[in-house]
Amino acid sequence: MEETRDHLLLTCGYSMEVWRMVMARIRPNFTLFTSWNELLSWIRDNLHPPIAIQSPLKESVSYHLQLVTMSRPETIERMVELFKSRHSASHLFKIDNFSLLTKYHIERVESSVFILGGHKWKLYVYPNGNNSANGHVSIFIENQDSIIVQLKYQIFVVSQLKPIWHPSSVILNFGTTSIPQMRGTPRLISLVDLKSKGYLIEDCCLFGVKFDGFENGAKGSAECFSLIEKPINHKATWMMTKFSSFEPEMYHYSNEFVVGTRKWKIKIHPSGIKEGKDKSFSVYLVGEGFINNAPKAKTYAKFKLRVLDQVNRNHFEKSDSCWVDVERDENNGFEDFMPLKKLDRPYLVNNKLYVGVEFDVISMTTTI
């Protein structure tokens, strides 16, 4: 059965039972509705209670059906656009695949730098609370430049069932400061309420911040953070021919390749560095710039670095996970990746070596 609005809210088994109970109180023996337009027409033309309660009745029944079925009244894209058009001094931080944050033990997610009220900011979301706030979502905003006047702001999670946010009327103060300060609430909403009251639908939620006194008619802004398992082009391999000609005391870099919204390189040091010097083959994953003007936000990566076994396909590999900095970051990898004494057949064959990376998970931040 196709999950249309009519099916989810009117004709599926649960919805029909709700409507039977409602109609038993209003008009017994009434034939149940089969379409949304039929319901609206009946409310408009035939409902006996005064018109002042017709709309609340319709909205109440509709809302509770949506709550049970967790069906948005509009697409998430439309909701974001409406929010941006109605709240110019706001920034939405949409998180897709929210459950993967727990799966991969992500303690904190941060937005890119955005501008509101003439200042630069970041949002931080702790999906299972920070410090002693376990079981809740914590959310904070941090200034990225000096604040010379006191600002009033709201920080919230947006309902996906009706046009409200939580908490609805809590206004906070952001005082003056010359250095970055994180301010917000450690207990924005419990995870139970997030999942059961329409704030988390289809593994997606919308957090945000709004400053009072800066409405200027322009649209608000929004971005989306998402963890992606096995992203497109999640494997890259660097073929090094004439490996013996590589200067042993220098770093060497592969060509750029793209995974997610970012450029990457593989970096090697043939004779090892630091603790691995003269003992190990050092291998690193290098985070470079971003593509297509994607927002510049830290990138989470869970990956495997490997040297390929060209004979038995029993590759030598190590796994790591890290947050890659916005600026060029080449410190993620292993100085002691592989003992130099193993850097021979079956890995090094005919003076040719293959070094690769495979991304198991990567985060992507996009403008929406």
Side-chain angles (χ1 to χ4, degrees):
M1 177 67 69
E2 184 180 1
E3 293 188 347
T4 62
R5 178 177 62 184
D6 289 349
H7 172 67
L8 291 172
L9 302 183
L10 295 174
T11 62
C12 75
Y14 185 90
S15 298
M16 290 177 68
E17 187 60 30
V18 172
W19 281 112
R20 284 191 186 97
M21 291 188 290
V22 170
M23 298 309 296
R25 290 177 175 271
I26 298 176
R27 183 176 292 184
N29 303 318
F30 186 81
T31 302
L32 295 181
F33 308 108
T34 59
S35 73
W36 191 255
N37 288 336
E38 185 180 336
L39 166 65
L40 297 181
S41 177
W42 179 82
I43 290 175
R44 182 174 58 248
D45 298 333
N46 300 303
L47 196 59
H48 289 306
I51 194 166
I53 71 167
Q54 292 180 17
S55 181
L57 175 62
K58 176 189 70 174
E59 291 178 2
S60 177
V61 173
S62 176
Y63 171 69
H64 283 90
L65 283 172
Q66 290 170 355
L67 189 61
V68 171
T69 60
M70 287 301 179
S71 172
R72 301 185 186 102
E74 303 196 62
T75 66
I76 191 68
E77 293 80 12
R78 177 64 176 161
M79 291 175 62
V80 170
E81 281 303 311
L82 286 173
F83 194 96
K84 288 162 56 178
S85 65
R86 293 168 180 169
H87 306 285
S88 62
S90 68
H91 184 80
L92 286 181
F93 190 39
K94 177 172 175 269
I95 299 181
D96 283 340
N97 300 328
F98 188 81
S99 61
L100 293 185
L101 301 179
T102 299
K103 179 178 179 179
Y104 292 105
H105 309 290
I106 305 297
E107 296 182 357
R108 185 178 83 174
V109 174
E110 65 182 68
S111 73
S112 63
V113 176
F114 56 91
I115 298 175
L116 283 182
H119 294 283
K120 297 179 180 179
W121 308 91
K122 273 188 183 181
L123 272 174
Y124 296 89
V125 175
Y126 294 77
N128 193 34
N130 73 321
N131 299 329
S132 61
N134 286 350
H136 290 75
V137 176
S138 303
I139 184 168
F140 299 89
I141 187 170
E142 181 185 64
N143 61 301
Q144 303 297 298
D145 53 16
S146 296
I147 307 297
I148 60 174
V149 295
Q150 190 173 87
L151 303 173
K152 294 185 180 298
Y153 69 99
Q154 297 178 70
I155 202 164
F156 48 80
V157 58
V158 180
S159 169
Q160 296 177 51
L161 297 182
K162 52 185 180 179
I164 63 171
W165 62 59
H166 170 86
S168 59
S169 57
V170 177
I171 298 178
L172 304 172
N173 292 317
F174 203 107
T176 61
T177 177
S178 60
I179 61 174
Q181 296 281 343
M182 286 179 61
R183 305 197 181 149
T185 175
R187 295 175 182 268
L188 176 75
I189 190 171
S190 71
L191 289 173
V192 171
D193 286 350
L194 183 81
K195 296 172 183 177
S196 65
K197 294 188 176 180
Y199 296 98
L200 178 66
I201 296 181
E202 296 176 358
D203 215 15
C204 162
C205 46
L206 287 168
F207 300 98
V209 60
K210 179 179 181 295
F211 281 89
D212 290 354
F214 291 99
E215 300 292 341
N216 56 15
K219 280 188 176 183
S221 55
E223 64 185 284
C224 176
F225 173 94
S226 181
L227 287 183
I228 307 296
E229 296 181 306
K230 299 296 183 184
I232 296 173
N233 301 325
H234 65 284
K235 293 183 180 180
T237 302
W238 179 16
M239 179 181 71
M240 288 172 274
T241 58
K242 299 181 180 179
F243 182 70
S244 60
S245 67
F246 281 54
E247 170 58 49
E249 299 299 329
M250 292 180 60
Y251 289 115
H252 301 272
Y253 296 84
S254 72
N255 291 329
E256 281 185 349
F257 53 93
V258 174
V259 180
T261 57
R262 193 156 188 176
K263 301 173 184 177
W264 306 86
K265 288 181 180 179
I266 298 171
K267 179 178 78 170
I268 66 158
H269 195 290
S271 61
I273 60 168
K274 299 180 181 178
E275 295 300 319
K277 184 170 177 57
D278 298 326
K279 295 184 295 184
S280 300
F281 180 56
S282 302
V283 184
Y284 295 86
L285 176 65
V286 180
E288 297 276 349
F290 295 82
I291 64 169
N292 299 330
N293 295 317
K296 295 181 178 179
K298 283 187 177 180
T299 307
Y300 175 80
K302 185 175 186 294
F303 58 93
K304 300 183 186 77
L305 291 168
R306 58 170 61 108
V307 173
L308 274 58
D309 179 338
Q310 300 181 54
V311 178
N312 306 307
R313 300 189 63 79
N314 184 24
H315 308 315
F316 188 97
E317 63 182 32
K318 287 187 177 181
S319 299
D320 197 8
S321 61
C322 60
W323 284 96
V324 182
D325 286 340
V326 170
E327 302 302 328
R328 191 172 193 268
D329 185 350
E330 51 183 284
N331 297 315
N332 304 298
F334 305 91
E335 59 194 42
D336 58 348
F337 180 77
M338 182 181 191
L340 286 178
K341 62 183 179 182
K342 292 180 68 75
L343 201 59
D344 203 340
R345 189 177 179 86
Y347 306 105
L348 182 61
V349 178
N350 296 327
N351 207 18
K352 185 183 295 184
L353 186 73
Y354 293 86
V355 177
V357 61
E358 178 178 353
F359 289 83
D360 296 315
V361 184
I362 194 171
S363 70
M364 295 174 55
T365 302
T366 55
T367 301
I368 54 176

